[in-house]
Amino acid sequence: MQKRTAAVNNITANSIGFSSIFNIGDTAATNQKSRAIAVQQQGAVFHKAEEPQFDDYSLFKRRANWPKQASRATSATFHHSDVIHVNQVSLIGVSSSSVLQVGSINKIVTESRIKHFRKFRA
């Protein structure tokens, strides 16, 4: 990968979290994984004994069902400048195994698994 310089004037980010990356510059490889259990419960009382665990749900035990890779295509990239110029970026958030990248990434693998459910009183 050709090395380049990133010239960034201004980036405003409100929130970056949960296995996410904000990177200025080129990256050889990145691999983010995020697991979460989101419970929306009627009332505001949560008890430690009732907290769900990742082992309680098969979603977190299963192997990822990645799409089959298509046949390889030959490609070539020509960088017309050794400098990446970015004037301004404004974003609300980057979350759950996401990447905000100013530059190139040679290899990226991201995975996010979220079990979300609601509990209502009968």
Side-chain angles (χ1 to χ4, degrees), residues 33 59-67 109-113:
K33 291 187 180 184
L59 168 70
F60 301 108
K61 297 175 188 174
R62 294 190 301 233
R63 296 185 73 190
N65 187 13
W66 299 107
V109 177
T110 63
E111 180 180 345
S112 179
R113 296 182 186 209

Side-chain angles (χ1 to χ4, degrees), residues 27 30 43 53 72 88 96 101 103 108 115:
T27 301
T30 182
Q53 302 296 315
R72 291 197 173 257
Q88 181 168 332
S96 300
Q101 176 80 24
I108 181 170
K115 174 67 177 171

Side-chain angles (χ1 to χ4, degrees), residues 63-122:
R63 296 185 73 190
N65 187 13
W66 299 107
K68 302 229 184 297
Q69 185 175 0
S71 59
R72 291 197 173 257
T74 303
S75 65
T77 303
F78 298 98
H79 300 295
H80 299 285
S81 175
D82 289 341
V83 180
I84 303 165
H85 292 280
V86 176
N87 186 33
Q88 181 168 332
V89 176
S90 180
L91 64 104
I92 294 172
V94 178
S95 184
S96 300
S97 298
S98 299
V99 177
L100 169 61
Q101 176 80 24
V102 177
S104 298
I105 298 178
N106 201 28
K107 181 178 180 181
I108 181 170
V109 177
T110 63
E111 180 180 345
S112 179
R113 296 182 186 209
I114 301 171
K115 174 67 177 171
H116 184 258
F117 55 93
R118 296 180 174 105
K119 288 182 173 180
F120 293 105
R121 294 185 188 145

Side-chain angles (χ1 to χ4, degrees), residues 11-25:
I11 294 181
T12 304
N14 189 25
S15 176
I16 298 173
F18 301 116
S19 186
S20 295
I21 293 176
F22 167 37
N23 189 48
I24 297 176

